[in-house]
Amino acid sequence: MELAYAFARVVVAVFAFVGGHKTIRVGAARIPPGPAVLAINHTSYVDFMFAAAEVRRTEKRIIRFMAKVELYKNFALRLLMKGAKVIPVDRSMGHDSYLTAVERLRSGELVGVFAEATISRSFEIKTLKTGAARMALEAQVPIIPIIVWGSQRIATKGQPRALGHTKTPVAIAIGSPLAPSGDAASLTAQLHGEMTSLLHQAQDAYGKHPPGAFWVPARLGGGAPTIEEADALDEAEHDEKERVRAEMRQKKRL
């Protein structure tokens, strides 16, 4: 195994041991041999850890994740991500990361994509970007939906981290491969439906969802915002970031 991934595997194992986290495996689906796009839902900052650990455990394979280039600003993360051959995504030059991902797929690898592009505050499946479908179509490889559920209790946007010995259960569900057919829009719509269905299966298998809890979707009586409310929060956050960037550009010109 690659050195960076071996180190990351130790980190994940220590993290799971310290936290006492239990993995609940939903269904018996497996990832078939060969390249594929792994479309993973995004509810927390640690989703990638659970997805990578599960695929390594069951398939003895490595995921080449796509991750925003901003993470490379951290020196330690930059070393680890480079060693693990993470594909950096610069949203101002997204085509370069897209081409790299297609190249990795054509070489036989698994490429992990958070198709929602950002953490879902509602903990439902957000509107998906078409990038995962476009990559699958261009490389002619299947898309496999993967759901991680429960990790939002550990570390998610806008909530305190629960990094102690919380014994938080985390459910993992792997869906059936979707063939690379049709156009990007129709394949993305199919993927959204499959991810939503798989999410509900994982939630059913998870156990109790306490009413009003921050990590429980509004649909299940929880305290999370609805999809519409979450979209409004995301839009407000985006507008604020754009305002700050505009101010910084203005200052540079002065």
Side-chain angles (χ1 to χ4, degrees):
M1 190 194 305
E2 298 166 13
L3 182 60
Y5 247 96
F7 176 73
R9 190 180 180 191
V10 171
V11 172
V12 171
V14 171
F15 176 80
F17 175 78
V18 170
H21 306 308
K22 173 187 176 183
T23 301
I24 303 169
R25 295 175 179 89
V26 180
R30 300 287 295 273
I31 295 173
V37 176
L38 305 185
I40 308 162
N41 72 316
H42 204 11
T43 63
S44 83
Y45 298 111
V46 294
D47 295 325
F48 75 97
M49 297 174 67
F50 290 99
E54 179 67 7
V55 171
R56 177 63 192 168
R57 186 194 71 82
T58 59
E59 314 299 332
K60 302 297 186 289
R61 298 184 67 184
I62 288 172
I63 304 175
R64 302 303 185 192
F65 284 100
M66 301 185 76
K68 59 184 181 180
V69 73
E70 288 83 354
L71 295 175
Y72 275 66
K73 293 178 181 178
N74 180 290
F75 178 73
L77 276 179
R78 182 165 66 250
L79 290 179
L80 185 59
M81 291 169 72
K82 282 186 175 181
K85 298 181 182 178
V86 169
I87 303 168
V89 179
D90 185 339
R91 291 174 184 174
S92 65
M93 297 182 293
H95 192 60
D96 290 346
S97 56
Y98 171 85
L99 293 177
T100 301
V102 170
E103 181 182 333
R104 298 279 180 85
L105 291 167
R106 286 175 172 162
S107 69
E109 297 197 270
L110 298 174
V111 172
V113 179
F114 293 107
E116 298 161 285
T118 187
I119 287 178
S120 171
R121 299 174 193 259
S122 68
F123 308 129
E124 305 281 12
I125 305 299
K126 290 168 57 70
T127 299
L128 304 183
K129 305 298 183 182
T130 60
R134 289 188 290 111
M135 286 187 290
L137 289 167
E138 182 158 343
Q140 280 298 289
V141 301
I143 300 181
I144 301 174
I146 295 180
I147 294 295
V148 180
W149 182 250
S151 56
Q152 72 272 24
R153 299 174 65 180
I154 301 169
T156 193
K157 185 180 290 187
Q159 296 292 338
R161 308 289 188 263
L163 301 178
H165 191 65
T166 60
K167 298 183 180 180
T168 303
V170 176
I172 308 286
I174 298 174
S176 300
L178 305 181
S181 60
D183 58 24
S186 62
L187 185 54
T188 299
Q190 184 183 3
L191 175 62
H192 190 282
E194 290 296 322
M195 291 183 74
T196 299
S197 176
L198 200 61
L199 173 65
H200 294 176
Q201 292 176 43
Q203 290 169 337
D204 289 343
Y206 192 77
K208 185 178 179 181
H209 289 78
F214 81 85
W215 59 272
V216 178
R219 173 178 52 84
L220 298 178
T226 65
I227 294 176
E228 294 75 20
E229 291 168 341
D231 286 344
L233 289 169
D234 287 341
E235 186 175 347
E237 181 180 68
H238 175 268
D239 290 346
E240 176 61 17
K241 287 180 178 179
E242 286 299 311
R243 185 191 65 79
V244 172
R245 291 190 188 104
E247 286 184 354
M248 292 177 66
R249 289 194 295 267
Q250 182 65 24
K251 288 179 180 178
K252 287 180 180 179
R253 286 195 291 265
L254 295 177

